[in-house]
Amino acid sequence: MDSNGVVSWPRMPENMDAFALSPEQSQEVHVLAVDDSLVDRKVIERLLKVLACKVTAVDSGLRALQLLGLLDEQKMASETFVGLKVDLIITDYCMPGMTGYELLKKIKESSTFKETPVVIMSSENVLPRIDRCLEEGAEDFIVKPVKLSDVKRLKDYMTTKEVRGESQDREGNNYKRKLLDTSDVSPSSPPSISSSTLPSSPSVIDSPIRRLKMTSTD
Amino acid sequence: MDGIVELQRQLIDYTASLFHEGFLDEQFNQLQQLEDENNPGFVVEVVTLFFEDADRLLNELTKALGQPSVDFKSLDAHVHQLKGSSSSIGAHRIHRVCISFRNSCEEQNVEGCLKNLQQVKHEYSLVKDRLETLFRMEQQILNAGGSVRR
């Protein structure tokens, strides 16, 4: 769709610094962002940069896998990717070709990146979809449009490997199930939703959250 | 100095009116907050990308609805994209029309889709005009040596 900051096969990205594990760079958090929408890529890139992250933004799951060295053809030459440093992968769910869910599965199936936190973004807050992603090992699920408060919340995951603690509880209790409503939610929402006053007070909830907007969805 | 202050006041009023009339929503505020002296053109850049994207998608939608047999799945995919990008920049009214548009696609209602397409085109031209005016006003202030960010 576009060639903005996107790797073209089979060339590797011009700026491989983000992937190097040199001393100066190992402290900087590197995020791989995947979204087929150019507008959304620009926004997520800026959001992450505001939080001092290094960002590589690609336009498809295929390109993401290519960068991570997870395409079948590349797996044999995996020594090329020793030292590849990605601290967080954030991906859109609805993409042509490979969905974010399919990408998530491939990442979690890999030996090299299965511990890397993956966050899914979607404009649609479909509960079964969210559950499916979380069950597959997604760290969090963000409903678009993505805001600074969403990305700030992800800072918990944005630590370099050495600093990051144990992997999350797969039972799913550390949760992700807490929902933050906006003020115009109808009272007939499901019991698992707890309402809050304003979305602009992120300090109210400090564990990973999936924010469901009850308005402006189709 | 007074000139700049007056321009800034006009900009504030104009921006407020765009929110009041529903052209823009909170997400646009978000984008403005992401701008700083190191990245002064961020909002203009993203909005410009949106305009290009929207132009392309509206073309696709027009073509798709002009076919003898309408491919609703493809139509819906394009509306979905437009819905997403308009939401990401805070183009509230376009976003809302896209929601109706997707419903028409789901119902495979050609008449409904045609109506929605007209609405989207209309809303797009309105918000484009408004935003271009906004950016012009900002540029005027910047040219006069004033600042536009909170």
Side-chain angles (χ1 to χ4, degrees):
Chain A
M1 183 167 139
D2 73 281
S3 56
N4 180 35
V6 164
V7 178
S8 50
W9 174 264
R11 197 162 45 88
M12 293 309 289
E14 293 86 36
N15 174 25
M16 282 294 282
D17 295 349
F19 297 91
L21 198 59
S22 61
E24 312 81 52
Q25 277 140 5
S26 61
Q27 297 313 308
E28 217 179 354
V29 171
H30 178 224
V31 181
L32 176 62
V34 190
D35 199 316
D36 62 307
S37 160
L38 178 54
V39 170
D40 288 357
R41 277 203 303 283
K42 269 276 168 254
V43 173
I44 194 76
E45 201 173 30
R46 182 77 194 123
L47 286 168
L48 290 166
K49 282 182 175 170
V50 159
L51 297 179
C53 298
K54 249 189 132 89
V55 189
T56 301
V58 298
D59 70 354
S60 70
L62 201 62
R63 293 202 194 275
L65 290 177
Q66 180 197 353
L67 272 180
L68 296 171
L70 298 180
L71 288 181
D72 290 332
E73 307 92 83
Q74 293 174 313
K75 278 176 185 164
M76 315 203 210
S78 57
E79 59 270 7
T80 324
F81 298 94
V82 168
L84 184 66
K85 180 191 178 299
V86 174
D87 300 300
L88 175 76
I89 298 166
I90 180 163
T91 177
D92 190 23
Y93 183 94
C94 279
M95 297 187 289
M98 188 185 298
T99 66
Y101 176 72
E102 288 160 353
L103 175 61
L104 165 69
K105 279 213 297 191
K106 289 228 145 60
I107 290 166
K108 291 302 169 187
E109 282 162 11
S110 74
S111 51
T112 38
F113 291 102
K114 65 170 187 268
E115 295 302 319
T116 306
V118 181
V119 174
I120 310 283
M121 307 177 278
S122 176
S123 58
E124 291 160 336
N125 54 353
V126 178
L127 267 174
R129 171 185 297 184
I130 296 170
D131 284 342
R132 210 157 50 116
C133 289
L134 296 176
E135 275 157 26
E136 198 60 43
E139 206 69 36
D140 206 335
F141 190 102
I142 296 174
V143 177
K144 285 179 160 184
V146 185
K147 298 176 165 6
L148 195 59
S149 55
D150 294 318
V151 181
K152 274 185 182 164
R153 202 177 71 227
L154 299 184
K155 274 225 112 159
D156 288 341
Y157 316 130
M158 293 187 197
T159 51
T160 53
K161 252 197 167 135
E162 310 87 69
V163 181
R164 204 169 13 173
E166 321 179 296
S167 51
Q168 75 280 15
D169 169 20
R170 286 297 174 92
E171 293 337 296
N173 294 320
N174 59 335
Y175 244 108
K176 304 159 196 176
R177 264 286 184 181
K178 291 199 211 94
L179 306 172
L180 187 66
D181 286 348
T182 52
S183 52
D184 43 7
V185 174
S186 74
S188 57
S189 29
S192 60
I193 295 173
S194 55
S195 59
S196 153
T197 45
L198 286 172
S200 57
S201 49
S203 57
V204 172
I205 298 165
D206 56 11
S207 50
I209 290 173
R210 177 189 63 240
R211 174 169 55 93
L212 287 195
K213 292 212 202 85
M214 304 309 281
T215 56
S216 67
T217 56
D218 50 341
Chain B
M1 203 27 124
D2 285 348
I4 294 177
V5 170
E6 181 53 33
L7 287 175
Q8 286 169 327
R9 190 177 313 130
Q10 284 172 9
L11 176 65
I12 289 170
D13 288 346
Y14 189 68
T15 309
S17 75
L18 297 187
F19 280 86
H20 185 70
E21 290 164 23
F23 285 109
L24 301 175
D25 63 30
E26 170 59 27
Q27 186 63 14
F28 189 78
N29 267 334
Q30 279 285 312
L31 297 188
Q32 289 184 315
Q33 283 169 35
L34 295 177
E35 214 172 62
D36 59 28
E37 52 281 349
N38 297 321
N39 292 270
F42 174 68
V43 178
V44 172
E45 193 190 351
V46 177
V47 171
T48 304
L49 287 175
F50 168 72
F51 289 159
E52 289 167 2
D53 208 38
D55 285 336
R56 175 184 62 87
L57 290 168
L58 289 174
N59 263 336
E60 294 294 326
L61 291 171
T62 307
K63 269 201 314 209
L65 278 169
Q67 300 302 315
S69 167
V70 176
D71 179 353
F72 286 101
K73 198 154 167 267
S74 161
L75 202 63
D76 182 69
H78 287 122
V79 178
H80 174 79
Q81 281 182 57
L82 185 59
K83 176 172 152 289
S85 56
S86 61
S87 158
S88 293
I89 68 149
H92 186 75
R93 279 158 65 153
I94 294 180
H95 178 73
R96 289 209 86 93
V97 177
C98 286
I99 293 171
S100 303
F101 205 153
R102 289 200 81 191
N103 288 335
S104 301
C105 291
E106 208 174 329
E107 294 161 9
Q108 306 214 346
N109 175 2
V110 175
E111 285 310 306
C113 284
L114 285 168
K115 184 161 162 254
N116 292 136
L117 179 61
Q118 274 313 107
Q119 288 168 330
V120 169
K121 282 179 171 174
H122 178 65
E123 289 302 338
Y124 173 56
S125 88
L126 289 179
V127 79
K128 187 166 188 219
D129 178 73
R130 300 293 192 273
L131 285 170
E132 283 173 346
T133 301
L134 185 88
F135 295 148
R136 259 199 314 274
M137 290 171 79
E138 286 184 345
Q139 196 55 54
Q140 228 185 334
I141 293 169
L142 293 171
N143 291 345
S147 67
V148 299
R149 285 296 164 247
R150 311 106 201 92

